[in-house]
Amino acid sequence: MNRIITLDMLRGYALVSIMVNHMPISAMRHVTLPNFSIFDASEMFVLLSGFLVGMVWRGIEAKQGRGKAQRRFLRRAFEVWRAMVVGALLMGLLSALLWAVDLPHTAIWDRYAVWSVDHPLLFMAEVGSFWLQPNIIDVLAVYVVLIALTPLVVPAMLRAFWLCAVVSVVLWWFAPPLNQMLPNHRSQGGFLFNPFGWQMLFYTGTALGLFRERIMAVLWPRRHLVTALAAAMFAFGATIVIASRIGEPALPLRQALKVLYGSIDKWSLDGTRYLAILSAAWLIAVPLARPAHWFSATKLGVALQQIGKGGLFSFVACVLLSVLGDALQMTPADQSMTSRLLIDLWACVTLWWVSALWLEHGAPWQKARKARAS
């Protein structure tokens, strides 16, 4: 997988998909990933993030030592945590402003607006302690935890990979009851994105980034078989989704499929979604590598790259644009599909524009740090 263009393009697409999928009456959401695959942009975002962790860790450790890599990812965990807290507050304040000017919206819970205005410090403390995890931005909570554990997990993975893999699978297997033990404002307890389940996908991505040459050396001679299996798995997941959308006429097929996959649980990351996203990653990285590379170099692909490179800034921007876009599509009511599509396009262009501005002019402290390191 090409880090410079294809990887960033896919991260950018994941953010665009997250944005429009959280706009309930969006026109574009009908053509995004969840309409034809069993997984969605959340799995793509977490897997790619884990892959980047593996790539970056390997490079830093080789040049500057393990201690430097561990400090880098502890700092990164803090940066993600800070983005989660600040982003949640900005989202709540934007929601309050929209309600104040009579622009209703349903992308997020309306109580966030009340709490962010009446008790902003308490609201930030509850988000920062993981007690409260506002929707849309809630995926960052599990991301913080997994990044913070990276300085411990990656050295263990490098020493005893198969032991780490077994522990990861065991945690995933018992993820639902383990998650319920975590204190949270939700009545059933635990994170919405179950960290005991999603860790398996994140650290699978990390392993792919760390050991990709060794993995490919084993799989490449068998690439045709692996491609066939990956295509079959992706098609299986797509069939589940499409059959569910067909409804009653596809009921016999849905019941037959359910015997094979059991149940789908996004929040604890069921095995079907896990295998489907890994299959898609193989298909893009190997048989579709050239088309993906070509598309990444087009004008649209470059725009998605810039969104992907915007990192946490782009993520917070996509969250805010989800709320704003939802409000614009709901008022006035009963807008045409064309009108809602224009708002979708405006949100996408705006996300690209602010991401490009951030890459050019933002984060001067990060640029200075990179300059010192180089």
Side-chain angles (χ1 to χ4, degrees):
M1 188 177 288
N2 192 307
R3 167 65 180 93
I4 296 176
I5 55 175
T6 305
L7 186 59
D8 285 325
M9 183 273 293
L10 291 172
R11 281 164 57 86
Y13 171 76
L15 290 179
V16 170
S17 184
I18 288 171
M19 180 178 68
V20 299
N21 285 333
H22 284 90
M23 296 159 61
I25 58 174
S26 161
M28 285 181 60
R29 70 178 296 174
H30 299 295
V31 295
T32 53
L33 196 59
N35 293 279
F36 57 86
S37 72
I38 195 65
F39 60 89
D40 60 28
S42 300
E43 283 91 347
M44 181 184 294
F45 179 79
V46 171
L47 179 65
L48 293 176
S49 298
F51 184 78
L52 277 176
V53 166
M55 286 182 59
V56 173
W57 181 287
R58 191 174 66 169
I60 294 175
E61 185 175 36
K63 295 178 181 179
Q64 302 175 8
R66 178 166 295 178
K68 180 69 174 180
Q70 290 173 315
R71 291 190 295 273
R72 165 71 178 271
F73 284 101
L74 286 176
R75 183 174 67 241
R76 182 60 175 172
F78 169 75
E79 292 170 352
V80 177
W81 176 85
R82 180 179 61 194
M84 178 183 69
V85 174
V86 174
L89 180 64
L90 292 176
M91 183 178 71
L93 293 175
L94 173 61
S95 178
L97 176 61
L98 292 172
W99 285 113
V101 297
D102 199 24
L103 285 175
H105 47 282
T106 58
I108 60 172
W109 192 26
D110 58 2
R111 299 307 297 173
Y112 301 147
V114 176
W115 295 337
S116 62
V117 172
D118 293 348
H119 307 286
L121 294 180
L122 179 60
F123 179 68
M124 294 175 69
E126 289 180 336
V127 174
S129 65
F130 304 106
W131 177 258
L132 179 65
Q133 295 169 23
N135 57 304
I136 309 183
I137 211 163
D138 47 11
V139 69
L140 289 186
V142 70
Y143 192 31
V144 172
V145 173
L146 298 177
I147 288 284
L149 291 174
T150 294
L152 298 176
V153 174
V154 173
M157 192 181 293
L158 291 170
R159 287 195 302 268
F161 172 78
W162 290 111
L163 176 61
C164 288
V166 170
V167 171
S168 180
V169 172
V170 170
L171 288 175
W172 169 77
W173 186 264
F174 293 101
L178 289 172
N179 189 45
Q180 290 176 2
M181 299 178 186
L182 299 178
N184 195 270
H185 80 287
R186 301 168 65 233
S187 59
Q188 62 269 50
F191 287 25
L192 183 61
F193 284 88
N194 187 335
F196 298 100
W198 283 76
Q199 55 79 27
M200 189 166 71
L201 180 61
F202 181 83
Y203 292 125
T204 296
T206 303
L208 293 174
L210 284 171
F211 308 115
R212 62 189 185 279
E213 286 87 0
R214 288 155 61 179
I215 293 172
M216 288 304 297
V218 173
L219 296 181
W220 185 254
R222 305 167 179 84
R223 61 189 180 278
H224 300 301
L225 174 60
V226 176
T227 297
L229 293 174
M233 184 64 224
F234 182 85
F236 177 72
T239 303
I240 295 172
V241 173
I242 296 170
S244 68
R245 293 182 178 275
I246 293 174
E248 189 67 25
L251 182 59
L253 175 61
R254 290 161 56 193
Q255 291 175 335
L257 293 175
K258 195 171 181 63
V259 173
L260 297 176
Y261 68 81
S263 62
I264 301 296
D265 181 7
K266 171 181 177 176
W267 310 117
S268 290
L269 188 63
D270 60 272
T272 303
R273 296 173 75 102
Y274 173 81
L275 293 175
I277 182 62
L278 289 185
S279 298
W282 171 268
L283 294 174
I284 292 174
V286 182
L288 299 178
R290 289 185 178 180
H293 182 89
W294 170 83
F295 177 78
S296 301
T298 64
K299 289 184 178 180
L300 178 57
V302 170
L304 291 173
Q305 283 184 58
Q306 291 176 308
I307 294 172
K309 290 177 182 178
L312 292 172
F313 179 86
S314 296
F315 187 94
V316 173
C318 101
V319 169
L320 299 179
L321 286 168
S322 289
V323 178
L324 180 57
D326 176 38
L328 294 176
Q329 289 178 340
M330 292 188 65
T331 305
D334 301 323
Q335 294 183 46
S336 66
M337 181 70 75
T338 301
S339 176
R340 286 182 280 132
L341 178 59
L342 289 174
I343 293 172
D344 286 336
L345 294 174
W346 167 82
C348 292
V349 171
T350 302
L351 179 59
W352 162 75
W353 178 65
V354 297
S355 299
L357 286 178
W358 177 257
L359 290 175
E360 183 68 24
H361 305 291
W365 61 90
Q366 292 181 359
K367 295 178 181 179
R369 187 173 64 219
K370 290 179 180 179
R372 289 194 300 269
S374 62

